[in-house]
Amino acid sequence: MDLPKHAYFHGRIVPYSEAKVGVATHALNYGTAVFSGIRGYWNKEQKQLFVFRPMDHFRRFLNSCRMICIDFNFTPEDLTKLTLELLRADDYQQDIYIRPLAYKSDELIGVRLHDLTDELTIFAMPMEKYAKHETDASVTISSWRRVDDNIIPARGKISGAYINSALAKTDAARGGYDEALVLNQDGHLAEGSAMNIFIVRDGVLLTPPVTENILEGITRRTVMELAKKELGLTVVERPIDRSEIYVCDELILTGTAAEVMAVTQVDHRPVGCGQMGPVAAGLRDLYAGVVRGEHPCYCHWNIPVY
Ligand code: PMP
């Protein structure tokens, strides 16, 4: 992966090599940070870089900040503007991934959230595909459970909580799978390591509600809207049992990085007929056009950089 060119750091846009923190930094030691992951898509015809739904990402980012007592005066509009300034300095003409990070920057010992200094950094780097097998992924049900709302809120994109995702992901990868599905404390499906989950049963698109210890995904919301409006599907949010995976017709994972992934095997069992189904294929097609600003009905989600 290429390194970022610049970073927004201590209130300025600086060369990435100057955006450094000390080893005693609170967030590095205790995971006291929150982040976001936003994609920018290059549209060749229009010679334009479109950032996808930055306002929605920054609304969630600021909510995550509130959960760990980071009180910024920034609005989602301010953060979008800063991001666009950074991207103009970077001058990318390719697909990119943007990482805003809010963190406790004090260099001291002491576990807490209060009486600490909050900093914001944003950087962006080129990113093409995240997932190797986007149309035929194989997954395993992880032995790790999803963090619970009363342990570390999964609704927040909290840096320390990503150890939970990393444990699940690494065990799955070392077991030869592309991805892990993680159950919550009730044994219901929560999500993947960094993506939300959907299943198709009898033509209905099902996904766990936001009270099932999931991240409230922007791609999840996008896919729900596209499924209803463009594919005419019924979309239902309800808890999903583990065994429903074995009887569903399709299994789909969604996320900013992973985009829309079709899962065709779970723990060596075929999902549905063992091949990508029509809902996954339809959603993948739609999503690919929408994020690149090719769908006039949804171009309010595409914020141009240049
Ligand atoms: N769940 C988790 C745990 C994630 O890290 C992500 C990636 N941000 C998602 C779901 C998908 O969220 P989004 O669609 O907003 O990227």
Side-chain angles (χ1 to χ4, degrees), residues 57 60 146 157 162 191 193-196 215 217-219 254-256:
H57 278 283
R60 183 179 71 192
R146 187 77 181 114
K157 221 168 151 47
Y162 272 76
E191 52 190 342
S193 66
M195 54 281 284
N196 292 112
L215 185 76
I218 310 300
T219 320
T254 67
T256 297

Side-chain angles (χ1 to χ4, degrees), residues 58-110:
F58 282 126
R59 260 180 228 118
R60 183 179 71 192
F61 179 71
L62 289 170
N63 282 341
S64 295
C65 286
R66 285 163 68 177
M67 285 184 214
I68 70 159
C69 307
I70 291 183
D71 301 313
F72 284 145
N73 286 324
F74 296 115
T75 61
E77 287 82 357
D78 297 335
L79 295 173
T80 301
K81 207 166 145 238
L82 273 182
T83 302
L84 296 179
E85 277 169 32
L86 171 77
L87 293 178
R88 282 182 205 121
D90 283 342
D91 199 27
Y92 288 119
Q93 302 198 356
Q94 65 196 108
D95 293 353
I96 53 154
Y97 187 85
I98 305 152
R99 167 55 48 83
L101 177 77
Y103 62 101
K104 303 284 182 187
S105 62
D106 305 76
E107 297 173 85
L108 54 77
I109 302 298

Side-chain angles (χ1 to χ4, degrees), residues 128-143:
E128 301 295 334
K129 292 294 170 201
Y130 177 79
K132 233 202 265 161
H133 298 114
E134 296 183 310
T135 57
D136 59 350
S138 88
V139 304
T140 182
I141 294 181
S142 183
S143 59

Side-chain angles (χ1 to χ4, degrees), residues 22-237:
V23 291
T25 299
H26 202 273
L28 183 62
N29 285 259
Y30 301 116
T32 46
V34 302
F35 64 101
S36 181
I38 310 172
R39 269 205 194 241
Y41 289 90
W42 178 245
N43 182 312
K44 260 191 222 149
E45 285 69 42
Q46 295 183 40
K47 295 200 178 354
Q48 183 58 269
L49 183 63
F50 288 117
V51 182
F52 191 61
R53 302 190 74 164
M55 294 282 287
D56 295 297
H57 278 283
F58 282 126
R59 260 180 228 118
R60 183 179 71 192
F61 179 71
L62 289 170
N63 282 341
S64 295
C65 286
R66 285 163 68 177
M67 285 184 214
I68 70 159
C69 307
I70 291 183
D71 301 313
F72 284 145
N73 286 324
F74 296 115
T75 61
E77 287 82 357
D78 297 335
L79 295 173
T80 301
K81 207 166 145 238
L82 273 182
T83 302
L84 296 179
E85 277 169 32
L86 171 77
L87 293 178
R88 282 182 205 121
D90 283 342
D91 199 27
Y92 288 119
Q93 302 198 356
Q94 65 196 108
D95 293 353
I96 53 154
Y97 187 85
I98 305 152
R99 167 55 48 83
L101 177 77
Y103 62 101
K104 303 284 182 187
S105 62
D106 305 76
E107 297 173 85
L108 54 77
I109 302 298
V111 184
R112 60 175 191 266
L113 293 173
H114 63 284
D115 296 340
L116 292 169
T117 314
D118 305 322
E119 279 291 346
L120 169 72
T121 183
I122 311 175
F123 52 88
M125 50 179 64
M127 184 191 263
E128 301 295 334
K129 292 294 170 201
Y130 177 79
K132 233 202 265 161
H133 298 114
E134 296 183 310
T135 57
D136 59 350
S138 88
V139 304
T140 182
I141 294 181
S142 183
S143 59
W144 296 98
R145 292 292 172 111
R146 187 77 181 114
V147 283
D148 190 80
D149 199 48
N150 291 297
I151 296 174
I152 307 176
R155 168 172 292 110
K157 221 168 151 47
I158 300 170
S159 296
Y162 272 76
I163 284 295
N164 181 235
S165 289
L167 287 166
K169 177 77 186 200
T170 288
D171 284 0
R174 288 185 172 163
Y177 301 95
D178 294 308
E179 193 40 63
L181 301 184
V182 186
L183 306 176
N184 63 23
Q185 297 294 329
D186 299 330
H188 297 144
L189 275 173
E191 52 190 342
S193 66
M195 54 281 284
N196 292 112
I197 185 166
F198 289 84
I199 64 168
V200 180
R201 284 195 76 182
D202 303 322
V204 176
L205 190 62
L206 304 168
T207 195
V210 294
T211 45
E212 286 283 300
N213 293 308
I214 65 167
L215 185 76
E216 299 176 356
I218 310 300
T219 320
R220 172 183 179 275
R221 219 183 302 162
T222 304
V223 158
M224 288 167 76
E225 188 165 339
L226 294 176
K228 279 187 228 172
K229 288 196 181 150
E230 304 298 324
L231 300 182
L233 290 172
T234 304
V235 181
V236 177
E237 291 174 82

